[in-house]
Each structure stands twice: as structure tokens, then as C-alpha cells.
Amino acid sequence: MVGNVWFDRSLDRLVYNVEDPNYAMLATGAGVDKATEIDPTQKAAAGDGRSPDPILSTTFSDELIISNNGQSRVFSVSIKDRGAISLAGHGGKAFWFSKAQSEFVTSNYYYDSNPQWLNRWNEKAIPDRYSGQRWELSLPKESYSLQERAKDHKVDLGGFARTFPHPYGPASYKYYSTMLTVSPAGDEIAAEFAKTLMAQEKLGTGSATDFLAISFSSNDYVVHLYGASSLETEDNLIRLDKTLADLFSHIDNSVGLDNTLIVLSADHGVPEAAPTLNTLGFRQPFYFNKDALLTKELMGKLKSEFGLGEEVIKLYAQPYIYLDHDLIAKKNLSLSDVQKLIAEEVMKVKGVAAAVTSEDIANNRVADSRVNQLIRNNYHPLRSGDVYMVFGSRTYINDMDGLTIASTHGSPWRYDTHVPVIFAGNKLEAETISRPVTPYDIAPTLSAT
């Protein structure tokens, strides 16, 4: 998985990382509504089919199932399809929230038909309980530590407002379900669904270890729209803390926390929004316009040295520039030379910190450094682009396929890669680990217990 999307040269288009035409959604009309979907990566999918088949390796959940010949049961839940599917692996069962239908769904990769308890849960229309309500601050404003210094960069999405309060509107409103997912409501709904799943599937009651993975993904959307140091982000975390406390209480009452191992982590961090940093006196961070990569100097050298124009650049999909290999081959040009020229020229653009070619990565011609090692880790010969782009610290493209956002992630800088990894419950004794660890350490740690 080199990203949420990548350019598939065999299909000649962007593909979404969990799309699969071989496995259809079980609910009618529950796929992505491209007219109202704000997540451009989901809109990139050619159809509504979803499965874990694009994942090229096994996951912890898969190895758990294999370790005891299928006695362990694995389930995952998220408001995002990719959040649930990746955590369930190839052998588990995944459920995710359909914004088009405002209900939880799955695909026929996992089931021939919906479990009856899933249909009953959806019939309760729990998401509709937020209809006509507003997301308001849960504490007095002076109680928040993140006192906002800038607000103009925050997004007013479909009337959800740039500042508190944020009205959900009626359940019939076309953006209603989307607004749930970009607020604490999304994770609250996911937790409610997870509690029902636990009870109906009787998780934790057998002799083998069961695995329930929940991706609380609303926080990601909230930070994208409002930025890290916003009242929305802090209030969302306060409410998520309450949601987790309620979930843990439910688990304690059903199977007991002494019999439960809790792991809490994140797949990435986030930078401060550039305008917030600007108010603090930082002049370097800014929102980067990707069109700035196509400088006159670059276009001129492509023309003079290779006889190429802008058409040689297929597209930019974070973090890669993809080139037209067929055109380069047709002109009997060296792919390595074209990549090198583009990398050298874009490195001269203000806001670009590094540009590394895939030919250099594949042939081990990249200097040893922390950032370069992370770039190498992302490389896949069929999925990676031609030039890996790294923007300067807290400088990033804030345009997601036409949707202007406050903040984003995906860089190799510490603010994006430094995340908590917390183990709790199961009679663990308290200990703080100060050496560097990553979420990749979770699977071997769990496997060793």
C-alpha cells in the first residue's frame, strides 16, 4: 500500500487502495455518491466493490487466525471503508459506514448476505438521532487549551460552519451523513455499532483469542477541515475520550477488562495548519500549489533535452509524480534520465525539500538518512510513481481534488510519524518505553504474548 490511491499502469488510471470489482457491496446504493463524497481517494474508485485483495501481505489478524486454525474470530469497524478493511486483513470480517445510505455495510467478500443482526441495527436508524442537532462545545470555551489564533483557513463544508456551533441539519439533507463523519458523531456511531457486534458475535467468550479492531477515523476528517490547533480538534478528542471510556466500560461488563488487551495507536500525526504557524511568526510554512512544480525551466529542459512537453507527466498523486512510460519508450528515451531531470528541477522550487527518483530507489542509489529510509520503505515497483516528493516542514498541498482543507498528513517529518503506542488491560504492569517504536511494532509484540 503506497498510499490511499496510486496510478495503476495496467488500467491507466488512479485506483483506490481497497477497491475490487470482484466483490460487490451487499447493500443496494451504499457505494460512494460522487456528488456528495468529500474524500477524493474514495471517489477515485471505478466502482463500489471492496475487498482486502489489494493488500499484498498478511496482517496481524490473518496470522492470529492461522495460528490456531481459525479458532480466533476477527472483526473490524470504521466509518471509513479502508480503515475497516485493512484492519480485518484477508481472514476477518469488516464493516464500514456508508455515507450514501447512512448505515453500516460490508461486501460479498465477507458474506453471501448481511448478518441479520446487521440489518436489525441499521433498521434502528441510530445515525438519525443527530438529525436537527448541532455539534457544540462540550465545555466552557475558556476551559480549552487550544485557543485559536487563526480561523479563516477552517472549512465551511456544505453549511456545517467554519466555527462552533456546527449544525447537522435534517437527516434528509444530502450532506447529513458526511457531517456526522466529520464530527464526534462519526466515532460515537462506530462505537455503538461495535458494541452490538461484540454482543451478537459473542466476542471474547470462547477459548481462543478474538480480535476486534476499531478505526476511530472522524478525528482525521476533523483535523483536515479545521487544523490541529482548533477548538474542533480539541473538543473532538475530549468527546472521543468519553466514547472510549464508555466502550471500555461496556467491555468490562461483558467479558472483563482483565481478559482484554487494549492497544491504542494511530497511523499518522498531523502538522499545524500553515496559517496558524504564520500568526506565531513562522514565515516558512505555506500552502503549496502543485502547479508550481511545472516551472518554465523544467518545461524548457524537457523540450530541449528530450523533445517532451507537459504531456509526459501523467499526474501527481501524493507523494508521487507519475510519468508516461509509453511516451518515453516511444521516443527511445532513458526513463532514468527523464526522472533525474524532473527531480533536479523540482528540487529548485520553493517549498520542496526532496525529490527522489524511483530508479535511484530501485538501484540503491539513495543516501542513508532517516527521511530517505522512509521513502525507500514506501517503494513498490508496480505501484510507486517516478519521483517521490517531500515538501518542506509544515508545507503541503491543501487542495484535495477541489476541496480546500486546513491541514493534511503524509510527510516523513516527525510531526507526521511520531504517534502514541499504548498497551493497557490484561493485568499489564505500568511501564514507559523511551526507545523509538512505531505502530509496526504492535504486530510482533502481540504475537509474542
Side-chain angles (χ1 to χ4, degrees), residues 267-377:
D267 58 339
H268 57 76
V270 68
E272 289 285 0
T276 297
L277 290 167
N278 296 154
T279 66
L280 296 172
F282 292 81
R283 299 185 180 182
Q284 188 180 42
F286 66 98
Y287 290 145
F288 190 92
N289 184 342
K290 64 183 178 183
D291 291 339
L293 296 172
L294 304 179
T295 63
K296 290 183 179 179
E297 291 77 11
L298 170 60
M299 294 296 102
K301 288 188 176 182
L302 281 174
K303 186 67 174 178
S304 62
E305 296 189 25
F306 302 117
L308 295 170
E310 187 176 334
E311 71 278 1
V312 73
I313 300 175
K314 275 278 191 181
L315 54 85
Y316 174 83
Q318 177 71 14
Y320 292 107
I321 296 174
Y322 287 85
L323 303 181
D324 188 333
H325 288 189
D326 291 338
L327 177 60
I328 293 170
K330 183 178 180 180
K331 288 180 172 287
N332 295 315
L333 299 171
S334 164
L335 176 62
S336 178
D337 289 346
V338 177
Q339 288 180 352
K340 182 180 179 181
L341 183 145
I342 292 174
E344 289 175 347
E345 289 302 312
V346 297
M347 273 286 293
K348 300 174 184 177
V349 177
K350 179 184 177 181
V352 176
V356 182
T357 71
S358 288
E359 286 286 304
D360 282 345
I361 297 171
N363 291 285
N364 200 27
R365 295 195 297 258
V366 181
D368 285 334
S369 71
R370 174 186 169 275
V371 169
N372 283 343
Q373 183 58 55
L374 295 176
I375 292 172
R376 282 194 293 261
N377 291 346

Side-chain angles (χ1 to χ4, degrees), residues 5 51 131 146-147 149 159 171 204 244 277-278 327 355 360 370 379 396 442:
V5 296
S51 90
S131 180
L146 300 177
Q147 298 301 314
R149 303 180 64 90
L244 289 172
L277 290 167
N278 296 154
L327 177 60
D360 282 345
R370 174 186 169 275
Y379 175 74
Y396 47 87
I442 294 173

Side-chain angles (χ1 to χ4, degrees), residues 175-317:
Y175 285 111
Y176 174 76
S177 294
T178 296
M179 292 174 175
L180 296 180
T181 64
V182 300
S183 76
D187 288 338
E188 292 167 3
I189 293 167
E192 283 300 311
F193 181 84
K195 288 190 287 187
T196 296
L197 186 157
M198 286 180 57
Q200 294 298 318
E201 297 292 346
K202 298 180 172 55
L203 293 188
T205 61
S207 58
T209 299
D210 292 329
F211 180 56
L212 172 62
I214 308 174
S215 174
F216 290 106
S217 297
S218 285
N219 190 62
D220 178 77
Y221 285 142
V222 169
V223 174
H224 275 308
L225 295 183
Y226 303 106
S229 288
S230 64
L231 287 173
E232 285 79 7
T233 293
E234 185 170 4
D235 191 69
N236 182 68
L237 290 173
I238 290 170
R239 291 175 182 267
L240 178 58
D241 188 66
K242 294 177 181 178
T243 297
L244 289 172
D246 178 72
L247 177 64
F248 296 154
S249 177
H250 176 85
I251 294 172
D252 196 25
N253 292 331
S254 57
V255 298
L257 287 177
D258 285 345
N259 301 314
T260 304
L261 179 61
I262 300 166
V263 183
L264 181 66
S265 190
D267 58 339
H268 57 76
V270 68
E272 289 285 0
T276 297
L277 290 167
N278 296 154
T279 66
L280 296 172
F282 292 81
R283 299 185 180 182
Q284 188 180 42
F286 66 98
Y287 290 145
F288 190 92
N289 184 342
K290 64 183 178 183
D291 291 339
L293 296 172
L294 304 179
T295 63
K296 290 183 179 179
E297 291 77 11
L298 170 60
M299 294 296 102
K301 288 188 176 182
L302 281 174
K303 186 67 174 178
S304 62
E305 296 189 25
F306 302 117
L308 295 170
E310 187 176 334
E311 71 278 1
V312 73
I313 300 175
K314 275 278 191 181
L315 54 85
Y316 174 83

